Amino acid sequence: MGQGLKAPKGLAIRGNDLFVTDINRVVKVDIAKGSISRIFEVEGSKFLNDIVIDEEGTVFTSDMFSNVIYQIRGNSVSRFVEDDRISGANGLYLKGEQLVVSRWDSEIDLNTFVSKQLGDVVSISLKNPKEMSTSNAVTGHLDGLTYDNEGNQLLSDWMNGDVFRVDRAGRSEKLYNFGQGTADISFAKELNTLLVPQMNQSKLILIKF
């Protein structure tokens, strides 16, 4: 299934289709056949990263090296929102009527991936993308973004290797440190388990909550 892909990153599944971000395009894969069924070229994109799909089938993908989040509706690719408040957008999570975004902030050094300023978390209204709210409960080179079964927000900092929890009251605490390369975390709600990919150590860490 990796044949034909350049540098796949974000993954999202809807029905029998797997959507994969691949630098400057989104690749749609037929899971049953294990083959590419369609390629969406995302004009102007630089480094597509995470990807999520809402209940209506709209695909959203972040572009880490710009200030744009793109969307795919049917066969059409467009800019969902373009705003300096989401520069360095990385992780995405759909929560109710909000698209929640973790960021690395702007001016990222392409050699070291270090940004001049620390990123934060931005919640974007799906109905009106210009309506945004920012949380500074955790700042950093924020990568993974998910929620546990108690509604707590979980974040990973790729550069420092930290995993944080932010409760509903906005209180944050560092839970773990797995070293640089702690990437896009996910929470398996049926198993009550956090999945932590560690890129630099080539391993996947599972933590039962």
Side-chain angles (χ1 to χ4, degrees), residues 43-70:
E43 185 177 350
S45 64
K46 300 175 182 178
F47 193 85
L48 298 180
N49 200 308
D50 204 5
I51 187 169
V52 291
I53 307 173
D54 70 11
E55 294 180 354
E56 297 178 353
T58 301
V59 177
F60 300 91
T61 178
S62 57
D63 186 357
M64 188 173 165
F65 291 168
S66 77
N67 62 346
V68 181
I69 291 176
Y70 294 90

Side-chain angles (χ1 to χ4, degrees), residues 3-204:
Q3 185 177 3
L5 298 176
K6 302 173 184 178
K9 292 175 180 67
L11 305 172
I13 293 174
R14 179 175 171 83
N16 185 55
D17 296 317
L18 171 66
F19 291 83
V20 186
T21 59
D22 196 30
I23 304 178
N24 58 357
R25 61 185 189 164
V26 174
V27 179
K28 182 179 178 182
V29 176
D30 184 306
I31 297 173
K33 296 179 180 179
S35 60
I36 293 173
S37 57
R38 188 179 181 90
I39 294 176
F40 299 92
E41 299 291 345
V42 183
E43 185 177 350
S45 64
K46 300 175 182 178
F47 193 85
L48 298 180
N49 200 308
D50 204 5
I51 187 169
V52 291
I53 307 173
D54 70 11
E55 294 180 354
E56 297 178 353
T58 301
V59 177
F60 300 91
T61 178
S62 57
D63 186 357
M64 188 173 165
F65 291 168
S66 77
N67 62 346
V68 181
I69 291 176
Y70 294 90
Q71 66 179 358
I72 301 172
R73 287 187 174 183
N75 295 323
S76 177
V77 180
S78 62
R79 297 187 176 201
F80 170 66
V81 61
E82 181 176 2
D83 196 297
D84 286 343
R85 290 174 288 178
I86 58 164
S87 60
N90 193 315
L92 300 177
Y93 191 94
L94 287 165
K95 191 174 190 295
E97 295 184 352
Q98 301 285 318
L99 177 63
V100 189
V101 184
S102 61
R103 306 190 309 119
W104 285 38
D105 210 76
S106 58
E107 297 186 66
I108 299 172
D109 187 310
L110 302 187
N111 294 314
T112 65
F113 274 58
V114 174
S115 58
K116 287 189 175 181
Q117 299 181 52
L118 297 180
D120 48 29
V121 176
V122 179
S123 295
I124 306 171
S125 169
L126 292 173
K127 293 183 177 180
N128 183 2
K130 285 298 181 180
E131 289 185 4
M132 301 183 189
S133 61
T134 301
S135 168
N136 294 304
V138 175
T139 59
H141 294 81
L142 302 182
D143 193 319
L145 166 65
T146 190
Y147 288 79
D148 66 17
N149 284 328
E150 304 300 321
N152 299 305
Q153 186 181 76
L154 302 170
L155 296 159
S156 64
D157 184 315
W158 191 96
M159 197 61 63
N160 294 327
D162 296 326
V163 176
F164 297 92
R165 176 168 54 204
V166 181
D167 67 18
R168 293 182 179 181
R171 296 178 298 240
S172 65
E173 62 176 321
K174 184 169 76 173
L175 299 180
Y176 313 103
N177 180 279
F178 298 111
Q180 188 177 95
T182 300
D184 190 6
I185 58 177
S186 180
F187 196 83
K189 294 190 175 182
E190 298 83 357
L191 303 175
N192 203 34
T193 299
L194 178 66
L195 290 77
V196 184
Q198 220 304 333
M199 291 174 59
N200 291 358
Q201 300 171 29
S202 301
K203 64 183 180 183
L204 178 63

